[in-house]
Amino acid sequence: MHFRSQRKLQGEVSLSDSLDGEGEGNALSILDTIKVDDTMLEDLDARDSCARVRQCVDRCLEGREAMVIRLRYGLDRERPLTQREIAARCGISRSYVSRIEKKALGKLRAAMEEE
């Protein structure tokens, strides 16, 4: 029985097994060679933060302010636009877009700090 169970385990390898048998102390394990991009928590946090920002934009900003922020930062899953592109799209000056953006960001910052 014991030999049968050992034969089943023969093909298994532990991630902590050493790849080279040279010397002592500096052995390279399989786990050291595997690159793991475990960004799940960061992705969830970013998604949650984006959702909070979108809700705050809808709740705290008026029409033109919300539109400028959405276009400027790509909140509607589109590419972010420059102030110049927003100005051309809305038929206003770039400096006016800048003023609207600055005022809207101040409102958003205050609302996010309250939460």
Side-chain angles (χ1 to χ4, degrees), residues 64-96:
R64 185 168 268 181
E65 293 170 335
M67 180 189 62
V68 166
I69 294 299
R70 283 190 190 100
L71 293 173
R72 184 79 171 109
Y73 296 98
L75 295 181
D76 292 331
R77 303 198 193 298
E78 295 181 17
R79 75 171 180 84
L81 300 179
T82 64
Q83 289 179 347
R84 192 172 312 278
E85 292 170 324
I86 296 169
R89 182 180 284 191
C90 297
I92 57 178
S93 69
R94 190 211 52 82
S95 62
Y96 189 47

Side-chain angles (χ1 to χ4, degrees), residues 12-63:
E12 292 184 15
V13 177
S14 171
L15 291 176
S16 60
D17 285 350
S18 176
L19 290 176
D20 55 353
E22 300 175 10
E24 295 180 17
N26 290 336
L28 188 63
S29 71
I30 296 173
L31 188 60
D32 293 333
T33 62
I34 298 174
K35 181 179 183 220
V36 177
D37 288 334
D38 187 14
T39 60
M40 183 177 68
L41 291 177
E42 290 87 7
D43 293 344
L44 288 173
D45 186 44
R47 191 176 310 148
D48 182 50
S49 295
C50 288
R52 286 180 49 220
V53 168
R54 283 188 189 98
Q55 290 171 353
C56 198
V57 166
D58 292 338
R59 189 179 67 241
C60 301
L61 300 181
E62 297 172 14

